[in-house]
């Protein structure tokens, strides 16, 4: 949803958290199909692995509902103190969501 994407990007910019839109084509949804269930939650094929989270979630969103997937993998924690970051959880996305929710 372009409108929601713009709001997420504005909220991220307001708190210096970086986001970017990844593609979401039908082939990614097809990767989530299973031989034994309706869908799987993670395909062992690592092509477009960050997009798989959104592809998985898309199966649970009512058509026409604006939504986004904020992938926190890799930014949820840091292993050592560096610059403004302390070792441990970063809380990435918390300020972004607070900004997004406070705009309404």
């Amino acid at each position: 949803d372009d409108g929601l994407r713009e709001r997420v990007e504005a909220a991220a910019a307001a708190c210096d958290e970086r986001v970017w839109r990844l593609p979401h084509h039908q082939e990614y949804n097809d990767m989530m199909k299973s031989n034994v269930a309706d869908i799987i939650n993670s395909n062992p094929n690592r092509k477009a692995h960050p997009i798989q989270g959104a592809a998985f979630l898309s199966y649970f969103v009512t058509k026409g509902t604006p939504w986004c997937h904020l992938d926190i993998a890799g930014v949820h924690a840091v292993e050592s103190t560096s610059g403004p970051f302390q070792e441990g959880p970063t809380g990435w996305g918390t300020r972004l969501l607070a900004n997004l929710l406070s705009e309404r």
Side-chain angles (χ1 to χ4, degrees):
D1 181 79
D2 290 332
L4 178 57
R5 177 189 47 82
E6 290 172 6
R7 291 176 36 227
V8 168
E9 287 177 347
C15 64
D16 294 325
E17 291 187 339
R18 296 178 180 175
V19 297
W20 61 92
R21 186 179 197 171
L22 295 173
H24 188 176
H25 306 296
Q26 182 60 42
E27 66 192 82
Y28 303 122
N29 284 37
D30 293 343
M31 290 175 70
M32 308 317 292
K33 293 181 179 173
S34 169
N35 294 333
V36 296
D38 294 334
I39 58 172
I40 57 176
N41 68 345
S42 182
N43 188 309
N45 177 346
R46 292 305 186 218
K47 295 176 183 171
H49 192 67
I51 300 170
Q52 288 184 22
F56 175 77
L57 292 174
S58 72
Y59 282 90
F60 302 95
V61 179
T62 304
K63 197 169 199 100
T65 301
W67 67 282
C68 77
H69 169 239
L70 296 176
D71 190 350
I72 65 166
V75 296
H76 70 286
V78 293
E79 295 177 1
S80 63
T81 299
S82 175
F85 300 105
Q86 298 297 313
E87 180 179 345
T90 65
W92 185 93
T94 304
R95 293 176 298 183
L96 183 158
L97 291 173
N99 285 342
L100 184 63
L101 294 172
S102 68
E103 78 176 24
R104 296 211 160 215

